[in-house]
């Protein structure tokens, strides 16, 4: 009696499209900068919704749909997929969404608009740093929380690689 070959097991490391990450970061920088420069709190609220959506449902996020439906087909960017765990990136988006939610809350619900703009600028600066030099503060926090046993360790077993720009 012949035996059937067993199904291949998936032991590949998780992957992330770094150009999609840069597109998301650039879009967040653009929204938060325009909101601040033109005093448009509604753009902060829009960025809040997009970042929260991206953290909760990455496959249906507006940034992903725009990237896959417009940016790639027009040849503006090509996917650059590397070994990386997406969980720290989702965590960072979630933290960014929390900061933007705080920003929106202060801008819309209180008279403390200065505090609201400070939270907006924190997201703007951190997303800008990630976009330009490849350092993700939210990922950094995630990795340390994993080392301390608060969050799960990343699934990727490789060593640290500087992604750069």
């Amino acid at each position: 009696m012949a035996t059937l070959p067993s199904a291949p097991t998936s032991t590949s490391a998780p992957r992330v499209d770094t150009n999609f990450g840069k597109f998301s970061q650039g879009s967040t920088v653009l929204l938060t900068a325009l909101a601040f420069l033109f005093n448009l709190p509604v753009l902060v609220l829009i960025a809040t919704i997009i970042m929260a959506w991206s953290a909760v449902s990455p496959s249906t996020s507006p940034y992903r749909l725009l990237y896959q439906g417009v940016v790639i087909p027009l040849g503006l960017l090509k996917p650059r997929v590397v070994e990386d765990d997406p969980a720290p990136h989702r965590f960072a988006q979630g933290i960014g969404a929390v900061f933007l939610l705080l920003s929106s809350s202060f801008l819309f619900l209180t008279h403390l608009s200065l505090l609201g703009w400070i939270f907006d600028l924190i997201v703007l600066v951190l997303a800008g740093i990630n976009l330009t030099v490849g350092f993700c503060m939210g990922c950094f926090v995630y990795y340390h929380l994993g080392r301390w046993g608060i969050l799960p360790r990343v699934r990727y077993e490789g060593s640290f690689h500087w992604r750069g720009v």
Side-chain angles (χ1 to χ4, degrees):
M1 178 174 166
T3 60
L4 296 173
S6 61
T9 58
S10 176
T11 59
S12 64
R15 299 187 143 334
V16 170
D17 180 352
T18 59
N19 282 342
F20 169 64
K22 294 213 173 284
F23 174 76
S24 298
Q25 295 149 13
S27 300
T28 299
V29 166
L30 181 65
L31 282 174
T32 55
L34 290 174
F36 177 75
L37 291 173
F38 295 109
N39 193 25
L40 295 170
V42 70
L43 289 181
V44 178
L45 183 60
I46 291 169
T48 304
I49 292 166
I50 292 172
M51 286 191 74
W53 189 340
S54 298
V56 173
S57 180
S59 62
T60 64
S61 78
Y63 286 156
R64 181 168 303 278
L65 297 176
L66 186 60
Y67 177 74
Q68 290 177 336
V70 177
V71 174
I72 292 175
L74 289 177
L76 301 174
L77 287 174
K78 293 180 182 177
R80 182 173 170 254
V81 180
V82 299
E83 282 186 22
D84 196 1
D85 190 337
H89 303 285
R90 283 194 315 270
F91 177 81
Q93 287 176 323
I95 296 300
V98 168
F99 273 70
L100 289 176
L101 180 62
L102 288 169
S103 176
S104 296
S105 298
F106 282 112
L107 291 170
F108 284 107
L109 304 175
T110 73
H111 295 291
L112 302 172
S113 62
L114 177 62
L115 197 51
W117 289 119
I118 289 171
F119 281 111
D120 176 74
L121 290 174
I122 289 170
V123 173
L124 168 64
V125 168
L126 292 178
I129 289 171
N130 196 353
L131 176 64
T132 57
V133 297
F135 175 75
C136 174
M137 178 57 81
C139 298
F140 179 79
V141 170
Y142 183 94
Y143 291 127
H144 281 284
L145 292 175
R147 282 182 58 206
W148 298 333
I150 298 169
L151 288 176
R153 285 189 176 265
V154 295
R155 294 182 301 266
Y156 174 55
E157 296 296 325
S159 60
F160 174 78
H161 298 288
W162 182 259
R163 285 188 304 132
V165 292

